[in-house]
Amino acid sequence: MSAQDGQTATGAVAGASTTGAPATGVPATGVPATGSKAVGPATRDGFPVPPALRRLRDQPRVLEFFCAALAEDRLSHAYLLVGAPGAGMQEAAQALAECVVCPAGGDDTCDECIRVRHHTHPDVHFIDPGSVTGYLVSQVRDIIADTSLAPVRARSKVYVLSNAGLLRGAAANALLKTIEEPPAGVMFILVARSVEVVLPTIVSRCQQVPFRVVAPDAAQREVVELSGADQAQAREALSVAGTPERAAEFLKSPGRREVRRMMVRTLGELERDDSWDVLKSADQLVEAMRSPLEDVRQRQKEDGQKSADYLSAKAMKELEDAHKRELTALERSGIMEGLAAARSFLRDVLMRCTDPAADPVNEDVVDVVERVAASTTTSGALAALDAVERAAGDLSHNVTATLVVETMLLRIKEALECPPSSR
């Protein structure tokens, strides 16, 4: 069966008949339906919209597709969400997982939904490739073994695999049978940039759900509606956070906004900073990026204390492991957001070098943009942006956050033609 044989969500919504993964209209293979219990008056195309899915408002066809599948008890056992970064696939995977494990069908407020959002629900597993080259066979074996175990809290189990294009070779072959015929009550949600990067044997066993690129104007309007910010603040937030929902959360977080301000201030002072100053700034930036994690650690501690009374030793170990994964993911997300702030600022610098009349994204720091642009060249700005991309690559290769930021700032300083000085 070829990659094209896999059912797509668009075709399912339109009522098209295709082959491959179970189509809308075919009972789900063992995943208990929860859509009939969805709360809230909102509807989409005649179907109730669970509150957890309302965050997909900027992907109307995806929203309609999942609302119909939930309301008609026709969830598939395997989905492949494909689209450009920032299109909202991870948010959609999380929202669908909430709908599957929540007793109320995704009310977005109960303990089950909150645990899914925090990546600490024992029956919802968010999995990343185990190495820089892809998923490990040992990872897949652990997944297969876990699917055979009964859920801890919910009636179903969900496995969300990011970067599904890195599911290859022996690891992919080991998982094929389980994706095709999973145990009752098990759902797989795979996320990838495009169908082409995923093995055809994987694609053919999943129901494809394509995500469109959200128009910038539409994304800005949504951020304004969600946060009450103005258009300029919405543009700045989107350049850092990516999706409207994340941008709205960013605007409501003083700590995350402070990281952006610190990053801009640091980049603006590189010309007069010596190497020691750069290293000190890097330490301060990383500390600021990590500061929101203290609240998460406190909440995890409270969760553990509440769960200790009714969870077995094995389940408590799984909860502790989930907490560690959550902290790791949040720390990496914070660092990546800091890099995104640097990227956004340097793009403004590049734009000012090439077209002085163009409006910058970071309007609140236009004076800093102009000052840096006046002291560098187009090639220097391009090299500085390359330093940010290299930093993102280093972070994905598990280089420590402090070393990543230190190296990036030193490279940017050199690229902008601000040679190191000494005390």
Side-chain angles (χ1 to χ4, degrees):
M1 185 177 291
S2 68
Q4 287 74 23
D5 289 329
Q7 165 101 21
T8 65
T10 355
V13 171
S17 176
T18 58
T19 59
T24 301
V26 179
T29 56
V31 180
T34 56
S36 59
K37 297 182 180 180
V39 297
T43 61
R44 187 82 190 187
D45 200 25
F47 296 109
V49 180
L53 288 184
R54 292 176 192 169
R55 66 192 69 158
L56 304 183
R57 61 177 65 87
D58 55 335
Q59 294 288 343
R61 299 201 72 179
V62 175
L63 178 59
E64 291 170 7
F65 171 67
F66 282 130
C67 286
L70 285 161
E72 297 178 349
D73 297 352
R74 293 169 180 170
L75 286 173
S76 175
H77 62 271
Y79 291 104
L80 174 60
L81 313 186
V82 292
M89 288 89 68
Q90 289 290 350
E91 289 86 348
Q94 179 178 287
L96 182 58
E98 286 184 39
C99 293
V100 170
V101 302
C102 173
D107 61 19
D108 211 29
T109 59
C110 70
D111 191 47
E112 305 300 312
C113 290
I114 292 172
R115 286 177 180 271
V116 173
R117 289 200 300 278
H118 290 162
H119 291 199
T120 58
H121 197 291
D123 299 318
V124 180
H125 305 270
F126 294 87
I127 305 165
D128 296 315
S131 76
V132 296
T133 58
Y135 283 88
L136 305 175
V137 175
S138 59
Q139 274 187 291
V140 173
R141 287 174 178 164
D142 289 342
I143 293 171
I144 294 171
D146 191 80
T147 61
S148 64
L149 302 177
V152 176
R153 291 174 59 101
R155 295 183 298 158
S156 304
K157 302 178 77 171
V158 182
Y159 299 83
V160 180
L161 279 65
S162 65
N163 294 319
L166 295 180
L167 188 59
R168 296 186 170 276
N173 292 333
L175 193 59
L176 285 178
K177 184 66 174 177
T178 304
I179 290 181
E180 184 173 19
E181 297 179 4
V186 169
M187 174 187 285
F188 283 94
I189 306 175
L190 281 61
V191 179
R193 292 194 174 196
S194 68
V195 173
E196 288 73 24
V197 302
V198 183
L199 289 178
T201 49
I202 296 289
V203 174
S204 65
R205 287 163 170 80
C206 299
Q207 192 160 7
Q208 300 168 39
V209 184
F211 283 65
R212 64 180 178 84
V213 176
V214 181
D217 289 346
Q220 288 176 35
R221 285 195 299 271
E222 183 171 352
V223 175
V224 171
E225 292 174 4
L226 291 171
S227 66
D230 58 34
Q231 288 285 344
Q233 292 173 325
R235 289 180 67 195
E236 295 162 9
L238 283 167
S239 72
V240 173
T243 66
E245 183 181 5
R246 291 179 183 174
E249 293 173 354
F250 170 84
L251 289 169
K252 296 175 182 177
S253 170
R256 291 164 67 182
R257 298 182 73 177
E258 177 60 22
V259 169
R260 172 184 171 269
R261 285 190 286 268
M262 289 178 64
M263 180 63 76
V264 170
R265 184 168 62 249
T266 298
L267 295 177
E269 295 174 352
L270 285 179
E271 183 178 13
R272 60 174 176 265
D273 282 351
D274 60 26
S275 298
W276 177 257
D277 292 326
V278 173
L279 296 179
K280 184 177 179 181
S281 294
D283 288 341
Q284 293 172 342
L285 277 168
V286 173
E287 183 179 353
M289 293 169 184
R290 288 172 172 165
S291 62
L293 297 182
E294 293 307 316
D295 292 338
V296 177
R297 289 191 179 94
Q298 180 60 34
R299 188 254 303 156
Q300 289 182 344
K301 181 179 178 181
E302 294 171 358
D303 284 348
Q305 292 171 344
K306 292 177 183 176
S307 303
D309 294 335
Y310 64 86
L311 289 183
S312 66
K314 181 178 180 181
M316 281 298 298
K317 178 64 168 58
E318 291 179 351
L319 181 61
E320 291 170 2
D321 290 343
H323 283 162
K324 291 177 183 177
R325 290 194 299 270
E326 180 188 20
L327 285 172
T328 300
L330 287 175
E331 178 177 340
R332 185 178 186 277
S333 177
I335 301 298
M336 291 299 291
E337 199 167 85
L339 300 188
R343 184 184 297 111
S344 175
F345 175 82
L346 291 170
R347 282 177 176 168
D348 279 347
V349 171
L350 174 62
M351 184 173 61
R352 191 52 62 112
C353 288
T354 57
D355 183 8
D359 294 327
V361 169
N362 298 277
E363 295 181 11
D364 60 328
V365 291
V366 66
D367 57 326
V368 185
V369 171
E370 291 177 345
R371 174 159 48 83
V372 174
S375 65
T376 191
T377 62
T378 299
S379 60
L382 286 170
L385 280 166
D386 181 66
V388 178
E389 300 310 317
R390 291 173 68 181
D394 291 340
L395 193 63
S396 68
H397 285 72
N398 296 321
V399 179
T400 61
T402 301
L403 182 57
V404 165
V405 177
E406 288 175 349
T407 305
M408 180 190 75
L409 292 178
L410 290 171
R411 285 171 175 166
I412 291 174
K413 180 177 176 64
E414 181 180 1
L416 295 177
E417 301 179 5
C418 309
S421 58
S422 57
R423 289 188 181 277

